[in-house]
Amino acid sequence: MTIEFETPKPILNQQVMLKTVAENMMRSVSREFDENEHSIPWDYVEFMHTAMKATGGGGLTVNEEPSPQPSPEGRGSRPPIGYQKLAAQIEMLSWGDVGMYLITPGGGLGAAAVAAAGSPEQKEKFLERFNGEKPTYAAMCMTEAGAGSDTSAIRTRAILDEATQEWVINGEKIFVTGGDKSFTEYEKLGKGFIVVWASIDPSAGRSGMRAFVIESGTPGVKINKLEHKMGIRVSDTAAISLVDVRVPYDNVLGSPTVERNTAGFKGAMATFDATRPLVAASGIGVARAALEFLKEKLEENGVKIRYGLPRQKLSNIEREVIDMEIMVKSAWLMVLKAVWMADNKKPNALESSMCKVKAGDVTTKVTQKVVELLGPLGYSREFLAEKWFRDAKITDIYEGTGQINRMVVARHILGYSGKELR
Ligand SMILES: Cc1cc2nc3c(=O)[nH]c(=O)nc-3n(C[C@H](O)[C@H](O)[C@H](O)COP(=O)(O)OP(=O)(O)OC[C@H]3O[C@@H](n4cnc5c(N)ncnc54)[C@H](O)[C@@H]3O)c2cc1C
């Protein structure tokens, strides 16, 4: 077996193209869409939809070309790199603008939940739409007031109406990324959906939790408000109420009956195993953007980093920059390990949480340091450094906070269950 440390060629080629998009369609309007919260950059949305459709479609998902047949000597076969490719795409788009990356058309977390917990029929029914004529979105609604980190506290209820064989869902969800674009009917958008986590049996705790696909336009769903946020302001974050929302029986992901184990919640965990490395990749894109900007400004002022010198011969600023580069690189290597495991169908819950913790820390620290080292330039709205600082923190919040992911890591390493360590 050979160990390959080079970035695979298909990824390098894709990065060249994506960098052009990131520079010309994202960076160039980054400030404008930060100032005009929730306005939609249609040029970017429509361009990305068309471009992704032309290259296989389906939004930002694992898109794997078939590997060539190996020769009898084993040459010619290619290891799977779908997740690795996706992580690299997300890193580059987030380097362009992380808020805009979040509104790249496609299924996002909603589709990831269907992919992780849905049956083959459900995948076919719900996931094909992202390759349609219009840009289309999906979102995942798990968080409630009082039930964020502690998902066992979810109060949204789904009750089966035996007469009609429909699920009737009631509850309130908050902080839903892309909730508006997934549910509100915009002329320029296709019909999306939201995936809502609800309990079918509150006495069963997490075992009673199920995810339900609710198609856009379903009566009883209301977008109550869009959050005004510190960062990622172009991305809509919705509060959604569900009043007597009726969905077909087959829209429940996974088994519709309660087994006394944690089967219900396993779908959510599988979703996060797949998406946490991608959140980490996204954060790393922001950190890299900030760090490159700092280096550019330093060079303009005659400070060039002298790599290769002993540490004691470097100036303080050189040491700071090199330390940040080490942080960003090591976080990226952890992402690569987690996505390599996903690509090779190896369980990666530990590595997913690990890289998310690391990237959350690194992104927050690096962007803060860049603002600090740039002095007033870092604080000024003339440059994007202050925006990257605001955008960075979300890496450490959504899809499991830093503290929660640390706990997941500790459980895996020490062999504790969720009940034993919480
Ligand atoms: C911009 C944005 C977008 C989001 N998008 C989505 C989305 O698309 N879908 C969705 O369902 N949710 C989404 N969320 C919600 C996000 O996942 C939650 O905010 C997050 O899980 C934390 O939950 P919480 O807000 O209830 O905080 P809490 O759980 O109340 O936590 C508050 C603090 O306490 C800490 N804490 C909690 N429990 C423990 C513990 N046992 N040990 C140590 N520390 C602990 C947390 O780490 C955190 O620092 C989004 C949030 C934001 C800000």
Side-chain angles (χ1 to χ4, degrees):
M1 191 173 102
T2 51
I3 298 176
E4 188 68 74
F5 288 102
E6 297 298 321
T7 306
K9 217 159 171 205
I11 297 184
L12 285 176
N13 293 343
Q14 133 196 301
Q15 295 306 84
V16 173
M17 193 272 286
L18 282 177
K19 188 165 184 206
T20 312
V21 175
E23 276 173 340
N24 298 312
M25 301 197 84
M26 303 174 98
R27 279 289 176 88
S28 52
V29 292
S30 215
R31 176 62 70 194
E32 178 190 337
F33 285 95
D34 178 54
E35 302 277 0
N36 297 289
E37 193 172 17
H38 300 143
S39 55
I40 302 175
W42 288 111
D43 286 353
Y44 170 75
V45 167
E46 288 174 340
F47 172 83
M48 285 304 280
H49 179 64
T50 310
M52 288 187 297
K53 234 171 103 86
T55 54
L60 287 172
T61 51
V62 178
N63 216 339
E64 190 77 88
E65 293 143 33
S67 176
Q69 287 300 309
S71 66
E73 304 83 50
R75 284 198 295 268
S77 66
R78 238 188 353 239
I81 53 164
Y83 263 110
Q84 190 183 333
K85 217 167 152 189
L86 183 57
Q89 286 171 348
I90 290 173
E91 196 269 353
M92 183 61 88
L93 291 176
S94 302
W95 175 89
D97 185 288
V98 60
M100 287 177 76
Y101 145 64
L102 286 167
I103 60 161
T104 305
L109 267 185
V114 175
S119 65
E121 297 74 34
Q122 287 171 325
K123 287 178 197 170
E124 200 184 317
K125 178 173 174 199
F126 296 121
L127 300 183
E128 279 201 346
R129 68 190 67 200
F130 301 109
N131 204 14
E133 280 312 304
K134 294 179 178 178
T136 304
Y137 293 87
M140 182 156 99
C141 319
M142 180 155 334
T143 306
E144 299 177 5
S149 303
D150 181 9
T151 44
S152 67
I154 285 178
R155 288 192 305 266
T156 297
R157 268 293 259 139
I159 296 172
L160 184 63
D161 180 339
E162 298 285 351
T164 61
Q165 287 295 295
E166 289 170 322
W167 297 98
V168 183
I169 304 175
N170 282 283
E172 301 269 346
K173 295 289 178 179
I174 56 172
F175 284 97
V176 181
T177 299
D180 183 48
K181 288 181 199 63
S182 304
F183 203 83
T184 305
E185 309 230 329
Y186 285 85
E187 202 185 317
K188 289 185 177 176
L189 299 182
K191 192 176 168 69
F193 61 80
I194 53 175
V195 171
V196 170
W197 285 85
S199 176
I200 55 171
D201 179 359
S203 71
R206 286 201 171 102
S207 312
M209 224 72 88
R210 292 292 180 280
F212 297 84
V213 177
I214 305 182
E215 297 268 6
S216 120
T218 305
V221 179
K222 189 165 167 235
I223 309 283
N224 287 328
K225 68 163 179 172
L226 300 184
E227 295 294 335
H228 293 292
K229 305 192 298 293
M230 170 171 105
I232 55 166
R233 287 157 56 86
V234 64
S235 158
D236 68 273
T237 310
I240 301 179
S241 63
L242 307 134
V243 179
D244 292 335
V245 178
R246 289 184 165 266
V247 298
Y249 183 80
D250 290 339
N251 282 24
V252 60
L253 303 177
S255 160
T257 54
V258 176
E259 303 88 23
R260 295 275 153 179
N261 54 34
T262 53
F265 205 63
K266 274 187 180 154
M269 292 299 104
T271 311
F272 290 139
D273 292 347
T275 57
R276 281 176 178 160
L278 305 177
V279 174
S282 168
I284 292 168
V286 180
R288 187 167 65 84
L291 194 46
E292 285 178 6
F293 179 73
L294 171 68
K295 283 176 72 177
E296 226 176 271
K297 287 288 156 209
L298 288 174
E299 279 194 25
E300 278 171 27
N301 287 282
V303 181
K304 200 158 173 13
I305 311 299
R306 293 167 300 159
Y307 295 98
L309 284 185
R311 202 169 163 82
Q312 74 275 14
K313 294 206 170 147
L314 295 169
S315 65
N316 184 53
I317 188 91
E318 286 172 309
R319 278 197 295 267
E320 300 253 36
V321 169
I322 290 171
D323 285 349
M324 285 192 279
E325 287 181 327
I326 292 168
M327 284 157 72
V328 172
K329 189 82 181 187
S330 54
W332 181 243
L333 289 174
M334 289 175 78
V335 168
L336 285 185
K337 179 162 186 192
V339 293
W340 177 85
M341 294 180 82
D343 274 331
N344 288 281
K345 310 268 180 285
K346 293 175 188 290
N348 70 345
L350 169 64
E351 290 73 13
S352 280
S353 286
M354 265 185 174
C355 71
K356 168 94 164 47
V357 168
K358 177 76 176 173
D361 276 0
V362 165
T363 308
T364 313
K365 280 186 191 146
V366 166
T367 52
Q368 182 178 352
K369 197 80 192 165
V370 166
V371 167
E372 187 184 308
L373 293 175
L374 285 168
L377 288 189
Y379 207 71
S380 164
R381 287 174 97 86
E382 192 180 338
F383 298 104
L384 290 170
E386 63 79 31
K387 176 181 178 296
W388 291 322
F389 174 50
R390 288 185 283 111
D391 284 344
K393 186 63 196 170
I394 194 61
T395 316
D396 203 32
I397 298 177
Y398 55 15
E399 294 186 48
T401 62
Q403 288 90 340
I404 295 304
N405 275 300
R406 277 180 174 79
M407 212 143 51
V408 174
V409 170
R411 278 183 205 139
H412 278 274
I413 292 176
L414 302 172
Y416 285 122
S417 68
K419 277 202 184 105
E420 288 166 325
L421 186 61
R422 60 199 163 118

